[in-house]
Amino acid sequence: MEKKNLFEYIHELETQMNHMHGDMGRLKLAVKELLEENQRLTIENEQLRRVLKKEVPGEPELTDAQAVEILADSDLHNHPYPEVVGEGYDNLARLYHEGFHICNVYYGHLRTEGDCLFCLSFLNKSE
């Protein structure tokens, strides 16, 4: 190889390595985001399973299908939340007490750090 061709070849390799480095960085970021979402969904799934499988002393543990069927057939008005505004308020209060945000900032996300002032403010406005 001539010196000029060798220099061009090294330059091409360097350019390809830079592209590969950029691709690797984007791939690592995508994997990180997927792992974080997977962890969040795993926690949310576990919390939903606990809500669905509230164990009653002396009764056998329910399967997932049985718990879903019971929730689907249950009367939403037989719960400990106040009947202030109506069914919409009841549903939001139930979601909040099950561990989910109902505020416009984080609606539907799992509450991982205790009570949310935005959600509580929203519930108090509805009363």
Side-chain angles (χ1 to χ4, degrees):
M1 271 194 190
E2 293 183 28
K3 292 180 183 179
K4 185 176 181 182
N5 288 342
L6 186 59
F7 180 75
E8 288 175 4
Y9 181 70
I10 290 174
H11 182 69
E12 285 179 30
L13 284 176
E14 184 179 29
T15 303
Q16 289 175 358
M17 287 177 59
N18 286 336
H19 288 300
M20 287 177 58
H21 182 68
D23 290 344
M24 183 63 77
R26 286 187 290 279
L27 185 59
K28 282 174 54 176
L29 181 62
V31 168
K32 178 185 172 240
E33 290 171 354
L34 287 172
L35 289 172
E36 288 173 351
E37 181 181 15
N38 187 38
Q39 181 63 28
R40 182 185 59 78
L41 291 173
T42 299
I43 292 169
E44 186 175 329
N45 194 12
E46 288 171 3
Q47 185 168 4
L48 287 172
R49 287 181 192 277
R50 281 195 300 271
V51 168
L52 288 174
K53 292 182 177 182
K54 292 235 175 174
E55 294 182 6
V56 178
E59 290 190 18
E61 188 173 313
L62 298 175
T63 65
D64 291 344
Q66 290 170 328
V68 169
E69 185 176 325
I70 288 170
L71 279 179
D73 294 339
S74 69
D75 181 10
L76 292 175
H77 297 290
N78 293 331
H79 50 75
Y81 311 120
E83 294 192 26
V84 177
V85 175
E87 187 176 331
Y89 177 85
D90 292 344
N91 288 338
L92 289 174
R94 179 180 48 81
L95 283 172
Y96 181 77
H97 290 286
E98 288 176 359
F100 296 94
H101 284 278
I102 59 167
C103 62
N104 63 338
V105 180
Y106 301 109
Y107 182 80
H109 288 88
L110 186 64
R111 284 187 300 116
T112 57
E113 298 180 11
D115 289 330
C116 170
L117 294 178
F118 296 117
C119 292
L120 292 175
S121 173
F122 181 77
L123 281 175
N124 290 333
K125 284 181 190 176
S126 299
E127 290 184 16

